[in-house]
Structure formats: structure tokens, C-alpha cells
Amino acid sequence: MDLAQVQPAGDAEMEETDSGIPILENNVQRTHFPGMVRKKSYIFDGAGNYYTKEWDLSEGSGKQFCWYHVELPKGKQKLSQSAQYLIDVLCPPLKLQDILSLVSNGPFCGYVDGALVFRVNSPGPPSSNFTFRLAARVTENSVITVSLGRVPRLGFSPVGRSLLSEIPSVESPYCREERQQGGGIVIREHVLEFLLTMNHSEEADNPVPKSVSNLVVHVIDTHIDHLQDVVTKLEMELDSVELELDRGGLALRKEMLDDRRFPKMHLNLQRLLQVIAHGEQVFPRVKEKCCSKHWFASEDINSLEELIGRLRRLKENVGFLANRVTAIQAGLDSWQSEQINRKLYYLSFLSVIFLPLSVITGVFGMNVGGVPWTVPKDPALKDGFRNVMALCLAMLILVLLCFICPALYSRLTAWRRRRSLRRSWSHNRRSFVKRSSAIQENGGGYIRI
């Protein structure tokens, strides 16, 4: 099908007014924020083919339908700044109420100016990797979507040489010479680790939608795939952290406690649960509203039902991860309290030892009369210092015996308990042997009473 390509907005012809000020024809306006958002626009012929087109927000005719996608930057901008970006690229023909329905936070699904609008925007900071925003405005011949940052597998690319359809060799420092001789596709190790966290294939493997309903299912599917990628990455990170905790010692645990790694991970999981909860509220309503549309295929309704079930299972997995993080943090807290209690035990042990000695030295250091061994000029008391040291040594031995005797007493009681158990077991065994011999003498069966 031959689709006419229209000139871009920046190449529109200009005419001058009487005052000499140039104006643009066809109400084409200059953008106030050039380059701040990424825009993609496609037109589909309904037969499995698609083409890029200019950004004019026009709708298709017949079997043709258009798709316009806006990627907001992942920065520290405010929500009002994101709204200004959308006003810059979508107005006109959209109105302010259309822009607010796409950029506002929270879940929403309803009709705005005759078009079906749904969004699952989380209110977290835009720079966070756990803040997801996806909104769509669906009509019979056009779809406008807005996302925060790049969504994997959302776009389309021509089918060509795909990395996943080949047999590559993994790059390693030991096989560089063989790789140079053999040639072929070489995949780096960090790229392989990234592919292991993906729950989907490349953009080149995406089937081109043949209807608006296929496109809506594709947008929701890629959103859930993105959430699945984040959950898989978190699960792998948690597994590696658990292995490090098993192998590491005191320094690693102290570092994790100082960095507050697990509380931050738990906060990110709660943000992720909030995004999934928004999807559980919105996508069933999208399915209900699309069932009444004649242009929405029944196969795509079933696909939406499968995606909703997949989102619920994903919520269970995130709950399991949150429980694991809570258990690990509780283990670290108990370890920290154990270390503190051990240090306090050592401190109390030292205080118990030196407190009686300080009492003795304090008594003999009194500047009063009548204290024995404190008269330096009396020749009969020349060994007073030695006597005081002997008294301190006796007090120290007494204190140590107070700590040692409970341990000896516990060991002694445990030994007596084991001895009594052995005696009772031997007595029961002898009584059992006597009962069994009595049964045999009586001819078997029960013992006669």
C-alpha cells in the first residue's frame, strides 16, 4: 500500500504578514522544549506493514491506524514540567483536559472527550528505576501513548539479523585469539547477564499489529514485561546478596547495615507493588470497556485476560521477595543485637571484677583514723600494702569463683540427669525382658491377671 509521506513540521512553508513577521502555515507551532522528549509516530496499513510518518496527530482512515508515542525524560523534573512537555508536543489538537488525564498520577480508566484513556502512573520520583508511568489515549483509528523513559520492546524494527537467532561466542580473556581467528558474533559477558534478566525477545521479533486492539494489547504486554524484568533483576540481586552473606564475615554484614541496603530494597519493592496494584485496578476496567467496542477483537480480549492473570502472579512474586528481604533484615538486626549484647557482657564482666577492688582501695584510701595498715610510721604495720594486695587477690578469686561455680553446677546437674536417664532406661529394659519371658511361659497371648 502506497502511503503518502508528509513533510515534517520544521520544513513547513512560511509567509510574511504586512508587518514583516513570518508566520507558519497550517497552525504549525515551534516547540518551547526542543529535544526534551522523544517522539515516535507510525502508520499501519492493517495488513502487517507499518511506516514512519510525521508528527501531526492525525487519525487513519479505513483499516489504517496511527500510533504516536512520547517518552518523557527520566530526570528530577516536577510533574508540572512533564505536563508542559506534553502540552508542547500534543496541543493542539488535544486539549488541556486530555493532557491532564495522561500526565496525572494514580490509576485511571475512563472516557475523555470521546476517547478511551487509561493510565498507571506511579507518584514516585521520576529519576527512580522503580517509578513507572504509562498512559494511553485510544480511539478507533489512533493510539497516543506516554511513557516515562524507554520501555523495552515497545517499538518495532525491521526483521533482520537478530542476536538471539544466532549462535554467538561469549567474550572472555582466555579465548580472544580463538575469537579473532574464528570470527562470527561475539557477545560480551555483561550483555549476556542483561539478556538473562529479560522476559522477552528483541524488537525485531515483535509481530506488527494489524488493528488497534492488537496495538493496545502490545502496549500493555510490554509494560508487564518491563515490570517482570525489574522483578527478575531484583531476584537475581537478592540471590547474590544471600550468597555474599553466607560467605562473608563481620565486615560485610556491618557494611550492609551501614548502607541500609535492605531497607532501601524493601522500599523499592513497595513502590513496585504500588505500580502492580495500579495495573490490577486499571486493566480489568480496560477489558470491560473494550468488550463493548466493535473494533476490539475477541482474541485480544482473551489476551488481556491472560495479561491480568500474569500481573496477579507477578504481584505474588514481589510479595515473596518482600518477605525474603524482611527475613534477611531481621537476621541482620538479630546479629547486630547479639554483637551489642556480647560487648555489654564483656563490659559488665569487667565492671563486676573491678568494682569490689575499687571498694577495697577506696576504703583503705580514706583519710581517717582507725583504718588498719594505714599508719606508715608504725613498724608493726610495715606490710600493710602487701596485706591490701592479698585482700584484693582474695576478693578477685571469690568473684571468679562466683562466675565459675554456676557453670560447674550446671554441668554437674546435667551429668546427674543423664545418669538418672540411663538408670531408668536400663530398669525399663529389664522389666520389659521379665514381662516378655512371663508371656512366653504362659503360652503367649496376653498376661493373665
Side-chain angles (χ1 to χ4, degrees), residues 157-169 179 182-187 195 201-206:
S157 60
V159 178
R161 189 177 184 183
S162 175
L163 177 63
L164 301 181
S165 61
E166 299 290 339
I167 303 178
S169 60
R179 185 178 68 248
I185 298 178
V186 179
I187 180 173
L195 293 176
S201 57
E202 293 180 311
E203 293 181 350
D205 300 327
N206 294 336

Side-chain angles (χ1 to χ4, degrees), residues 6-57:
V6 189
Q7 294 293 331
D11 297 336
E13 296 180 357
M14 295 186 297
E15 62 179 4
E16 295 184 358
T17 59
D18 296 337
S19 59
I21 302 175
I23 60 174
L24 295 174
E25 292 182 348
N26 301 326
N27 294 328
V28 179
Q29 299 180 357
R30 294 184 180 274
T31 59
H32 297 87
F33 307 98
M36 295 304 298
V37 298
R38 296 183 60 184
K39 300 181 295 183
K40 298 180 181 179
S41 58
Y42 303 99
I43 184 170
F44 301 86
D45 59 1
N49 300 317
Y50 74 99
Y51 308 90
T52 58
K53 64 184 300 294
E54 70 170 355
W55 187 269
D56 55 1
L57 299 178

